[in-house]
């Protein structure tokens, strides 16, 4: 049975751009733990080259970006989710700029490129290594934040739910109250307790023989979510590169 117990307000599993961003946004008011199965800079995020799509130029519109996305998505996109992401993309870019991400510029303005599926130049980038540049910036901020504790080489074993602890309240849905993780250095399974858990574990490309996904992309978070009773969908979509 696990012996060591760590207590936090929020647990974040995964140290890619999603997990790091969530940690930084929560840290002002929450005690946050980031768990990652390898080194902190492992994962797919640093291999993303092209850039981030956002309406940042005169003449471009949210509606145009939405329609481009729906067309590229072959009718399978969630329209509300698409519109939310598109309309908040400029805000996200400004946040990254404030953190110090060195986006490429030209004559004092963001240099925007155009990629497949887009009708306008709206790709904000850092030369051709955008993911690595954003991750490096976020990692520096995370390491400097007193309210964020980093646990490298900790592999998610399973989520702890009230159902599994026989603490479920009749009529209420099972709640996640933490997780078990394997410390790959000490070979010890430790317990993390928190009222909130965020799974930012990426995809499952490594379950296939041929992929350029990093070795960490084995779908641990998806499997743990399923075992905990979460709904899992869109499993037919696999990103093989990066």
């Amino acid at each position: 049975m696990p012996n060591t117990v760590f207590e936090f307000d929020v647990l974040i599993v995964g140290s890619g751009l999603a997990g790091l961003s969530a940690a930084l946004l929560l840290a002002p008011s929450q005690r946050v733990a980031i768990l990652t199965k390898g080194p902190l800079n492992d994962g797919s995020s640093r291999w993303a080259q092209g850039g981030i799509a956002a309406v940042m130029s005169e003449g471009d519109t949210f509606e145009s970006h939405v329609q481009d996305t729906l067309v590229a998505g072959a009718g399978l996109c969630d329209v509300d989710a698409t519109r939310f992401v598109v309309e908040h993309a400029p805000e996200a870019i400004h946040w990254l700029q404030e953190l110090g991400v060195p986006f490429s510029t030209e004559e004092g303005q963001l240099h925007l490129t155009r990629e497949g599926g887009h009708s306008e130049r709206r790709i904000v980038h850092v030369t051709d290594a955008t993911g690595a540049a954003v991750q490096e910036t976020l990692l520096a901020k995370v390491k400097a934040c007193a309210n964020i504790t980093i646990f490298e080489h900790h592999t998610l074993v399973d989520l702890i739910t009230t159902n599994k602890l026989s603490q479920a309240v009749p009529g209420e849905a099972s709640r996640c109250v933490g997780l078990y993780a394997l410390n790959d250095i000490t070979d010890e399974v430790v317990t993390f307790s928190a009222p909130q858990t965020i799974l930012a574990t990426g995809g499952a490309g490594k379950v296939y023989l041929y992929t350029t996904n990093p070795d960490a992309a084995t779908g641990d978070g998806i499997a743990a979510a399923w075992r905990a009773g979460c709904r899992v969908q869109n499993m037919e979509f696999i990103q093989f590169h990066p």
Side-chain angles (χ1 to χ4, degrees):
M1 292 296 292
N3 297 316
T4 306
V5 179
F6 297 99
E7 295 186 0
F8 291 91
D9 298 317
V10 181
L11 306 175
I12 299 176
V13 187
S15 61
L17 299 189
L20 297 177
S21 297
L24 288 171
L25 290 168
L26 289 166
S29 61
Q30 306 291 320
R31 294 176 300 115
V32 180
I34 298 177
L35 287 78
T36 182
K37 68 162 64 172
L40 194 59
N41 66 348
D42 201 8
S44 296
S45 289
R46 62 194 174 104
W47 296 109
Q49 296 173 308
I52 308 169
V55 174
M56 303 294 292
S57 65
E58 293 184 16
D60 197 3
T61 65
F62 289 146
E63 192 57 37
S64 173
H65 192 176
V66 168
Q67 291 306 313
D68 286 348
T69 306
L70 297 180
V71 170
L76 300 176
C77 303
D78 182 300
V79 177
D80 290 338
T82 299
R83 190 170 296 280
F84 182 90
V85 170
V86 165
E87 292 179 353
H88 288 80
E91 176 186 336
I93 295 297
H94 291 315
W95 180 68
L96 292 174
Q97 286 179 301
E98 291 173 358
L99 291 179
V101 175
F103 289 118
S104 297
T105 59
E106 187 174 68
E107 297 180 354
Q109 301 295 321
L110 286 173
H111 181 261
L112 305 175
T113 63
R114 178 177 170 184
E115 291 188 349
H118 293 281
S119 59
E120 301 287 343
R121 297 173 67 92
R122 59 171 70 106
I123 308 301
V124 182
H125 64 103
V126 183
T127 61
D128 62 349
T130 307
V134 176
Q135 186 176 46
E136 183 178 333
T137 301
L138 297 189
L139 284 174
K141 294 294 185 181
V142 163
K143 291 178 180 179
C145 185
N147 241 14
I148 299 175
T149 306
I150 300 164
F151 294 86
E152 295 180 289
H153 304 287
H154 278 68
T155 300
L156 173 64
V157 174
D158 209 4
L159 298 175
I160 303 172
T161 63
T162 51
N163 273 356
K164 293 176 182 177
L165 296 175
S166 300
Q167 295 178 355
V169 177
E172 292 187 7
S174 177
R175 294 183 296 105
C176 180
V177 292
L179 58 86
Y180 298 124
L182 173 65
N183 182 329
D184 296 323
I185 304 300
T186 65
D187 203 32
E188 176 192 11
V189 174
V190 295
T191 302
F192 288 84
S193 173
Q196 305 292 337
T197 297
I198 296 174
L199 297 177
T201 56
K206 268 295 181 176
V207 303
Y208 290 87
L209 179 61
Y210 300 110
T211 178
T212 58
N213 280 196
D215 290 339
T218 52
D220 302 29
I222 300 170
W226 172 257
R227 291 193 299 270
C230 294
R231 182 179 63 181
V232 175
Q233 65 183 37
N234 298 332
M235 288 298 293
E236 69 273 27
F237 295 108
I238 298 290
Q239 181 158 332
F240 291 94
H241 179 74

